Amino acid sequence: DIDLLNLRSDESTSSLYKYLGENYGRDAQTAFLGYQAYIIDPATSDIHNTDYVANVTGNAFNQHKTYRERGYNGVVNANFSGQYENNLYVGINLNAHIMDYKETKVFQEAPQDQDNSPVTYMAFVERLKTTGNGFSAQLGAIYRFDNGMRIGATYTSPQWLKIEEETQQAVESDYYDSNGHLTTAIINPHVVNIYESYTLRIPAKLGLSFAYVFGQAGLISFEYDYTDNSNMVFKPRSYPYFGRQNDIMKDRLQASSSFKVGGEYNIDFVSFRAGYHFQQTPYKDSNIMGDKKGYSVGLGLAFDDFKLDF
């Protein structure tokens, strides 16, 4: 309702913006900024009006979008490994994941025919800060046969991430007031919206590997991985938004496989290497993202005191 976007005599821009966020969400806050900056007007004078018209008019516009991001995803791990006789090797990684990420989006728009538009310029700024931490584990084993053959298996557990987010918004506009004077409106509530934390589960991965070593002459190796991407889940599931996102991922994502094959052949101090990899798309619709494949070649030179690899 338009009644929600108008300031009361005892309200400030910050207090109403905060109230809208706590009770009606981000969309209501964004509408409030647009209304207070004269970018939109109600379609009727009804106090319960919910229809709006844009004050930026015209058929051609100059638009500019700036997107800045910085941050990192880090992992701290502890490794344990063991060997049974000369054939079986086992290992485990325990991983603590750390996320710290910031982004700023600035969208600017101006009609080319500014003389006939009530609003001649607008800029919308939104900042997002995301922090999180999580856990995962990896288990692996390799069995080495006496004839030079090796087989391996790995299991990467689901990665559980607890994520917290906060946002800030502001808007600026140049508009003609009721007296025909060009005026600038800057609406910056200086309010940080802190949202409830949520969790994201990234699916587990299974892997198999095989290698055969031809003595000193070289080797050939093969790796295969399998992931069911549709098992990605946002929690709590009871949140309507997360429920919709989970349904979308179930509908659009699929299980995918990848494999790598590579080899090395040695002649005296020279090693020739080559490889190929294939990764199946995680999307059911290949128009969103297709399969990936690639090739690699390498050359190694081993001298008495040092090695060179290309």
Side-chain angles (χ1 to χ4, degrees):
D1 292 359
I2 186 61
D3 185 49
L4 290 173
L5 306 185
N6 281 302
L7 293 168
R8 305 290 194 274
S9 59
D10 59 343
E11 282 183 324
S12 66
T13 299
S14 297
S15 63
L16 180 51
Y17 177 86
K18 183 179 180 181
Y19 170 81
L20 291 172
E22 293 173 345
N23 294 275
Y24 297 94
R26 175 181 176 275
D27 290 346
Q29 290 178 316
T30 306
F32 170 73
L33 294 178
Y35 176 72
Q36 291 295 324
Y38 304 99
I39 298 170
I40 59 173
D41 271 338
T44 70
S45 58
D46 185 354
I47 194 171
H48 298 300
N49 171 81
T50 57
D51 295 323
Y52 295 85
V53 294
N55 282 328
V56 183
T57 60
N59 297 319
F61 303 88
N62 296 319
Q63 296 176 331
H64 186 263
K65 185 175 182 179
T66 303
Y67 183 82
R68 297 191 299 271
E69 61 179 0
R70 64 184 179 92
Y72 65 88
N73 290 319
V75 59
V76 178
N77 54 46
N79 317 103
F80 305 91
S81 61
Q83 176 181 342
Y84 179 73
E85 294 184 345
N86 292 320
N87 302 99
L88 181 63
Y89 305 84
V90 295
I92 181 172
N93 290 337
L94 302 177
N95 308 306
H97 299 270
I98 306 168
M99 176 194 301
D100 191 337
Y101 175 79
K102 296 177 181 178
E103 71 176 25
T104 301
K105 297 178 182 178
V106 181
F107 177 75
Q108 298 169 290
E109 181 177 88
Q112 291 185 2
D113 184 11
Q114 296 189 352
D115 292 337
N116 294 311
S117 177
V119 174
T120 62
Y121 168 81
M122 60 148 286
F124 176 67
V125 181
E126 187 167 47
R127 296 180 177 88
L128 168 67
K129 179 181 179 181
T130 304
T131 58
N133 57 78
F135 173 80
S136 68
Q138 296 158 313
L139 301 171
I142 297 174
Y143 189 85
R144 185 179 71 173
F145 295 88
D146 294 335
N147 62 359
M149 185 171 67
R150 290 116 162 89
I151 59 173
T154 60
Y155 171 74
T156 301
S157 76
Q159 180 179 325
W160 290 273
L161 287 171
K162 182 179 180 181
I163 300 173
E164 297 177 341
E165 292 183 330
E166 59 184 54
T167 62
Q168 287 181 281
Q169 294 179 318
V171 68
E172 177 182 343
S173 68
D174 292 339
Y175 66 98
Y176 288 104
D177 62 19
S178 57
N179 297 318
H181 299 139
L182 189 61
T183 307
T184 298
I186 300 176
I187 311 300
N188 187 353
H190 298 286
V191 172
V192 178
N193 299 305
I194 300 176
Y195 300 97
E196 268 192 76
S197 61
Y198 62 93
T199 59
L200 171 65
R201 186 188 70 192
I202 298 174
K205 179 186 292 185
L206 295 172
L208 297 173
S209 62
F210 167 85
Y212 191 84
V213 181
F214 303 93
Q216 300 297 318
L219 62 87
I220 186 170
S221 66
F222 175 85
E223 294 182 16
Y224 171 82
D225 291 319
Y226 173 87
T227 304
D228 189 350
N229 302 284
S230 63
N231 283 334
M232 189 175 298
V233 174
F234 285 105
K235 292 184 179 181
R237 298 173 188 259
S238 58
Y239 283 16
Y241 176 78
F242 290 155
R244 291 193 298 271
Q245 297 305 310
N246 291 334
D247 290 341
I248 290 172
M249 290 188 291
K250 279 286 185 183
D251 182 60
R252 297 185 181 180
L253 297 177
Q254 66 177 357
S256 62
S257 301
S258 66
F259 68 84
K260 302 175 184 178
V261 60
E264 177 176 300
Y265 184 70
N266 302 316
I267 302 177
D268 294 329
F269 64 93
V270 182
S271 300
F272 300 94
R273 305 177 184 121
Y276 170 80
H277 76 267
F278 171 86
Q279 182 176 350
Q280 184 182 7
T281 175
Y283 291 96
K284 294 178 182 179
D285 183 0
S286 60
N287 291 320
I288 298 176
M289 178 187 293
D291 298 333
K292 294 181 180 180
K293 59 183 178 180
Y295 308 86
S296 62
V297 294
L299 178 69
L301 304 175
F303 300 99
D304 291 338
D305 299 321
F306 65 95
K307 295 180 180 181
L308 292 176
D309 293 296
F310 302 91

